[in-house]
Amino acid sequence: MTEHDVLVVGGGLAGLRAAVGLADQCDVAVLSKVHPVRSHSGAAQGGLNAALGNAPQAGDDSPEKHAFDTIKGSDYLADQVAVLQMCRLAPQVVREFEGWGAPFSRFDSGAVAQRPFGGGGFPRTCYAADRTGHVLLHTLYEQLVCRGIKVYDELAVTRIAVADGRCHGLVAYDLKRGRFETFAAKFCVFATGGYGRAYRNSTNALINTGSGIGMALAAGIAVKDLEFVQFHPTTLLGTNILITEGSRGEGGYLVNRAGERFMARYAPQAMELAPRDIVARSIQTEINEGRGCEGGCVHLDLRHLGKTRIVERLPGIRQICIDFAGLDPVQEPIPIQPGQHYSMGGIDTDVRGRTSIDNFYAAGECACVSVHGANRLGGNSLLDTLVFGRLVAEDINARRGEFSFKPQEAVLRRCLAEQTAQLESMFARGKGLPHYQLRESLRAVLAEQVGIFRHESAMTQAVEQIGGLRQQYAAVGCCTPLGPFNFEVLQALELEGLLCVGEIIAKGALARQESRGSHFRTDYPVRNDAQWLKHTLARLDGSQISFSYTEVDTSQHAPQARTY
Amino acid sequence: MHPKREPTEEMVKDSFSNSNVSGTLRVPLLIGTQSVPDTLYRFDVFRYDAASGGPPRFQTYELEVNRQTSVLEGLLRIQDEQDPSLAFRSSCRGAVCGSCSMSISGRLNLACRVQLHLLAERRVVLEPLPGLDVVKDLVVDMDPFWAKYERIQPWLHAEITSAEDDRMSEPQRQRIDQFVNCILCGLCYAACPVTKSDERFTGPAALAKLYRFLADSRERRDGATLEQEDSPAGMWGCHTIMKCCEVCPKEVRPTDGIRGARRKLLSHKLKQILRRNPRET
């Protein structure tokens, strides 16, 4: 058994920010199933929102305006005080990263450059060309190395050991050593990322299996608003690799097969810079109604920006187009389609990152505070990770003196024994049912039946089908003996949680008889505040999922009609 | 026998418009359902398990692909459908995370970045990165790479406390841009002939990272890390063979960084000499 004061699970921005905040006062360790710099935060392209007012056109921007844009963007499902808190801390986040040497793109004055993003009233998205996530992740990892923070990389947590309402630690598969081990701690922080891989057409990394949310569910922890799944408007046709919103922020056009800038019909004011839910639905409508281009896409046209600007501001996009589509956006428009991109829902937390288990925290995409509500604005996810990673660390630092809890080795041993028993039965089934068949079925069902446009009949079927997949999971077998880098074992274990997440998405979406943000029902196309201005909570009791609903904090702005 | 196909721009477009993965509103795809003629590829994959020992070997897999498919996607399908024991690293599948570095028919690259239909042959030979110990199949032990990265103290040494301190101009940022873009994939380290002949050699990625900080207008580190790399195992170990620049998937030129670091070292030494012998100035 290994022991630390605090275990942070996940090596992306939220986890690393929490670890840096904790390192001065606690013995903290980061556990990550990949090396931290391989985390999906690094794939974020466009930027980080903060009301710095650096752009010449942004004279009177303020955190309050940033908060209003975020709340309106969320279709009023975000908790408003939490949003305000995040937006007020945003300028500090940027300055902190400047202090750590993050090479942001700059205006001529030397101030951090800012560009417009969807749903934002001002140009407030700070960026480092179109590699913002990469730059922030590497800068933060550098701070970890500087502080000598212990990282267990290539170590995949598989279970949370809970007894008497407390988290005693974790069970994890050490990929390098090829065995399962136990880790004890007074506090655990999950920063394990989203559940994008539940969908077939996802921009997400292969590691974004929602594993942390699955483990939390298995440990009896509540999750929130999982039915809110963001579809990014512009992903590369076929591979669904992300093409940043920054390309529209820089002035890119969306055009259909007739060469028409069709956004004029859907969001006449904001045009291409309407929020993502609206742009994604508009694109899908063009495709569905026969105005799409060959292969089922529309075009993102950057050619009028000119080579210099593309090379300077969007070099990563250009490289992706050349590598993955064999075209150069300087000369040709980019064929794009909407694709699953972000998980608004996650482990239910308060503004300090606390969950229904006192000493178990969550932050970043795996958590749901909620600051994104029914639709996240571009540029707010990096902000979310860094603000709430920091706040979790501050809360733990403040509590640790008075917190006398001692994790029990017996609880961890029991948790490990349960894990071992599950593995042994999988090995006993040998070839059994290969896990990937269930996974691929789940991804297809969610993409086709619980996607951008949702309808009762398709979702009723989806719920049934996913329920069936969850039953079939009992037949999943493993035939590769336990040892180093056994991905069969890891993937098979993660699938159990992913199927559960999938069922909650489908059931939550079926129950919610309204349209709000990313959740669009063709049979209930209007937002219904009287009945549905509330968060969906889900828990696992045994294998049964139970739902309940909680209030949304609308203390700052009364819900209004949402037009752009 | 399939005729050899040379990659042309037209072919890229062709295969692209034929892609069969578009609409989100189609009937759910059943696994294996295809509507475009399949192409058969042969994957010869290096297999080895350090934990159980035994001799390394090549294993052949055959895979039918029906659209633009990357080497990584091929490997993922083989792992799913044919051999779940096959081990390789992967994460972003979009050439930004640096996980899937390997040797692909003799060339070092990220597996996600190599499209099968652009290869000259319908056979692909996959081997782990050279010069690093193999743990399992295509997974190598990256610890020496990370240890050398940490050795150069890869963080900005500066006290920046207010927004006005040490602002950076855009031209100053652009000067370090290519080195900032490094994704630490290790391809340059594996390609470098010097890392193979001298295991102490810091290697191109870490030295280029050192220069990323040295060239940062805000950096205030003293000469210690420079002096530490003032040796044949440090920045003088580079023989300017430039394999690193050739293989970098992010267009970083580590050799430029190493040369830049040498210039910084020489100027640092010169300053020291002048300080020690002020009268000789």
Side-chain angles (χ1 to χ4, degrees):
Chain A
M1 187 181 78
T2 310
E3 190 162 357
H4 294 275
D5 288 346
V6 189
L7 298 173
V8 175
V9 183
L13 284 176
L16 298 189
R17 182 60 190 82
V20 164
L22 288 158
D24 286 346
Q25 300 189 39
C26 304
D27 160 32
V28 58
V30 175
L31 282 56
S32 175
K33 67 178 173 180
V34 293
H35 187 283
V37 302
R38 316 291 186 221
S39 302
H40 191 52
S41 300
Q45 297 169 354
L48 168 74
N49 294 337
L52 299 170
N54 287 353
Q57 321 86 293
D60 59 345
D61 196 9
S62 70
E64 289 70 28
K65 288 176 180 166
H66 179 188
F68 174 74
D69 289 342
T70 301
I71 291 163
K72 183 181 172 190
S74 82
D75 222 346
Y76 294 91
L77 194 70
D79 289 305
Q80 300 187 358
V81 171
V83 172
L84 202 53
Q85 183 181 17
M86 175 176 83
C87 297
R88 285 184 175 148
L89 285 170
Q92 284 184 38
V93 165
V94 175
R95 294 204 184 104
E96 179 174 75
F97 268 83
E98 272 203 281
W100 291 335
F104 288 108
S105 294
R106 306 278 164 165
F107 284 133
D108 289 343
S109 65
V112 172
Q114 296 188 279
R115 63 183 162 208
F117 247 51
F122 297 89
R124 66 165 76 93
T125 306
C126 308
Y127 58 94
D130 57 357
R131 301 183 176 110
T132 316
H134 163 81
V135 159
L136 297 182
L137 182 64
H138 280 250
T139 302
L140 194 49
Y141 181 67
E142 288 158 8
Q143 290 302 307
L144 237 77
V145 176
C146 171
R147 287 165 173 75
I149 295 171
K150 175 74 185 164
V151 178
Y152 298 91
D153 69 334
E154 305 198 302
L155 185 130
V157 173
T158 58
R159 279 183 186 232
I160 306 167
V162 173
D164 308 320
R166 286 274 165 81
C167 170
H168 292 251
L170 307 162
V171 169
Y173 170 41
D174 185 334
L175 285 134
K176 286 178 183 166
R177 291 187 180 78
R179 56 174 193 243
F180 281 78
E181 283 163 15
T182 54
F183 290 80
K186 285 185 173 182
F187 298 96
C188 287
V189 180
F190 264 33
T192 53
Y195 44 84
R197 284 278 136 192
Y199 279 78
R200 197 187 54 212
N201 54 338
S202 176
T203 63
N204 284 195
L206 299 160
I207 55 174
N208 292 23
T209 55
S211 59
I213 300 168
M215 284 182 259
L217 280 163
I221 297 165
V223 300
K224 187 159 72 190
D225 293 342
L226 294 199
E227 69 268 32
F228 293 99
V229 176
Q230 179 163 81
F231 291 85
H232 197 288
T234 57
T235 79
L236 206 54
L237 176 67
T239 55
N240 294 115
I241 291 172
L242 178 65
I243 304 293
T244 177
E245 187 164 323
S247 53
R248 284 171 285 137
E250 293 294 342
Y253 297 150
L254 288 170
V255 294
N256 61 18
R257 79 188 308 162
E260 175 199 14
R261 279 179 74 191
F262 55 85
M263 282 310 298
R265 262 183 281 131
Y266 305 92
Q269 301 289 318
M271 292 295 285
E272 280 86 356
L273 288 177
R276 289 177 177 173
D277 57 335
I278 294 171
V279 181
R281 278 196 292 277
S282 308
I283 292 171
Q284 197 60 55
T285 304
E286 291 296 302
I287 296 169
N288 293 353
E289 295 181 356
R291 293 186 294 278
C293 307
E294 199 181 341
C297 65
V298 298
H299 283 160
L300 173 62
D301 198 342
L302 306 181
R303 289 174 295 182
H304 58 285
L305 302 179
K307 186 171 180 178
T308 315
R309 184 141 176 193
I310 292 174
V311 168
E312 191 178 304
R313 303 281 180 86
L314 302 165
I317 289 306
R318 186 176 183 220
Q319 201 166 30
I320 284 169
C321 290
I322 291 167
D323 285 351
F324 294 95
L327 64 86
D328 184 346
V330 171
Q331 277 144 20
E332 287 176 86
I334 310 168
I336 55 93
Q337 61 182 168
Q340 190 286 340
H341 181 58
Y342 186 81
S343 314
M344 265 80 71
I347 299 167
D348 177 33
T349 73
D350 66 12
V351 288
R352 300 162 299 186
R354 293 195 198 179
T355 69
S356 54
I357 287 183
D358 187 35
N359 60 341
F360 182 88
Y361 289 72
E365 194 173 343
C366 77
C368 180
V369 177
S370 158
V371 287
H372 307 304
N375 174 62
R376 174 177 70 75
L377 292 189
N380 271 353
S381 63
L382 294 180
L383 179 61
D384 168 4
T385 61
L386 298 169
V387 165
F388 291 99
R390 170 180 161 178
L391 292 179
V392 161
E394 286 175 2
D395 195 57
I396 292 174
N397 284 335
R399 285 177 79 196
R400 58 181 276 277
E402 28 144 327
F403 198 73
S404 57
F405 168 71
K406 273 207 81 71
Q408 303 293 310
E409 195 173 349
V411 175
L412 285 163
R413 268 206 304 268
R414 194 161 64 231
C415 191
L416 179 62
E418 284 164 11
Q419 181 66 86
T420 309
Q422 183 191 15
L423 279 172
E424 277 170 2
S425 66
M426 276 183 170
F427 287 128
R429 285 190 289 275
K431 258 196 144 161
L433 177 62
H435 63 84
Y436 81 93
Q437 291 184 359
L438 298 184
R439 184 192 71 216
E440 291 308 307
S441 300
L442 174 74
R443 295 177 67 209
V445 167
L446 284 174
E448 306 299 337
Q449 289 156 251
V450 199
I452 297 181
F453 291 110
R454 301 172 173 185
H455 187 274
E456 180 170 326
S457 56
M459 286 195 291
T460 309
Q461 270 186 3
V463 166
E464 237 170 74
Q465 287 166 321
I466 298 170
L469 296 175
R470 278 188 76 204
Q471 284 179 351
Q472 287 181 63
Y473 181 78
V476 166
C478 278
C479 48
T480 311
L482 196 58
F485 294 97
N486 182 331
F487 291 103
E488 187 186 23
V489 160
L490 180 58
Q491 289 169 10
L493 291 177
E494 287 187 340
L495 178 64
E496 188 176 16
L498 191 65
L499 289 169
C500 188
V501 165
E503 187 168 344
I504 295 173
I505 295 171
K507 281 188 163 167
L510 178 61
R512 188 175 278 276
Q513 294 179 334
E514 66 158 352
S515 289
R516 184 184 295 274
S518 65
H519 171 70
F520 192 90
R521 296 273 306 245
T522 52
D523 45 354
Y524 298 93
V526 183
R527 194 175 81 197
N528 179 348
D529 289 335
Q531 282 172 292
W532 289 104
L533 182 56
K534 55 189 181 183
H535 295 295
T536 308
L537 286 181
R539 278 172 200 275
L540 204 55
D541 300 312
S543 66
Q544 290 300 307
I545 296 160
S546 64
F547 283 90
S548 59
Y549 293 90
T550 57
E551 275 182 23
V552 178
D553 166 19
T554 54
S555 57
Q556 311 295 308
H557 300 281
Q560 306 165 13
R562 186 167 166 256
T563 52
Y564 288 94
Chain B
M1 196 50 200
H2 297 292
K4 273 194 184 179
R5 302 206 309 181
E6 291 302 322
T8 66
E9 207 171 327
E10 256 166 49
M11 269 176 53
V12 176
K13 276 187 225 161
D14 248 316
S15 83
F16 195 63
S17 59
N18 284 338
S19 82
N20 175 41
V21 283
S22 51
T24 47
L25 288 186
R26 277 188 200 179
V27 186
L29 265 189
L30 295 171
I31 292 145
T33 303
Q34 323 262 327
S35 61
V36 175
D38 295 338
T39 311
L40 189 70
Y41 281 89
R42 178 179 150 168
F43 285 66
D44 291 327
V45 185
F46 181 91
R47 303 298 309 269
Y48 177 68
D49 185 354
S52 63
R57 64 197 164 90
F58 276 92
Q59 189 161 349
T60 299
Y61 303 95
E62 290 192 329
L63 189 69
E64 290 189 334
V65 304
N66 69 332
R67 59 172 178 94
Q68 188 173 337
T69 299
S70 67
V71 169
L72 177 64
E73 287 170 298
L75 277 172
L76 288 163
R77 273 190 53 201
I78 291 169
Q79 193 185 52
D80 275 347
E81 298 163 17
Q82 301 184 31
D83 189 347
S85 73
L86 183 61
F88 53 91
R89 290 187 174 102
S90 64
S91 175
C92 78
R93 98 227 131 76
V96 294
C97 81
S99 297
C100 60
S101 301
M102 59 183 71
S103 164
I104 299 161
S105 297
R107 285 168 180 250
L108 303 190
N109 210 330
L110 302 171
C112 66
R113 197 170 160 254
V114 177
Q115 304 296 331
L116 286 171
H117 71 274
L118 294 179
L119 295 174
E121 282 186 292
R122 293 182 185 202
R123 168 174 179 256
V124 56
V125 182
L126 301 179
E127 296 167 278
L129 286 183
L132 290 155
D133 291 341
V134 180
V135 182
K136 183 152 192 255
D137 305 338
L138 301 173
V139 176
V140 292
D141 178 9
M142 292 288 282
D143 285 353
F145 174 80
W146 295 119
K148 289 169 182 177
Y149 162 78
E150 290 188 15
R151 191 161 85 191
I152 61 99
Q153 301 191 4
W155 60 86
L156 192 77
H157 292 54
E159 280 295 317
I160 300 176
T161 49
S162 92
E164 299 303 315
D165 284 0
D166 287 281
R167 278 196 169 177
M168 186 182 216
S169 71
E170 182 60 16
Q172 283 170 331
R173 184 194 73 83
Q174 283 171 8
R175 218 167 293 149
I176 60 170
D177 190 50
Q178 63 150 321
F179 306 108
V180 165
N181 290 340
C182 166
I183 58 173
L184 298 172
C185 63
L187 285 171
C188 59
Y189 186 88
C192 174
V194 184
T195 57
K196 291 187 197 70
S197 60
D198 181 357
E199 62 178 26
R200 296 165 310 155
F201 180 48
T202 309
L207 288 169
K209 184 62 76 178
L210 173 61
Y211 185 66
R212 172 254 174 273
F213 292 104
L214 297 176
D216 191 310
S217 55
R218 305 162 299 181
E219 176 70 359
R220 299 288 177 269
R221 76 172 69 197
D222 61 23
T225 30
L226 273 174
E227 286 161 20
Q228 173 198 297
E229 295 302 324
D230 179 15
S231 77
M235 62 179 82
W236 303 109
C238 170
H239 297 175
T240 336
I241 301 160
M242 299 178 83
K243 286 280 178 202
C244 52
C245 304
E246 219 172 275
V247 299
C248 179
K250 295 278 119 180
E251 295 175 1
V252 182
R253 294 171 48 83
T255 312
D256 294 356
I258 295 170
R259 284 179 179 151
R262 286 173 177 173
R263 280 195 302 274
K264 292 273 182 189
L265 174 71
L266 292 176
S267 112
H268 165 73
K269 283 184 146 177
L270 192 62
K271 276 185 205 150
Q272 273 186 330
I273 293 167
L274 294 177
R275 222 174 300 145
R276 242 177 274 141
N277 308 302
R279 252 170 279 159
E280 287 171 34
T281 63

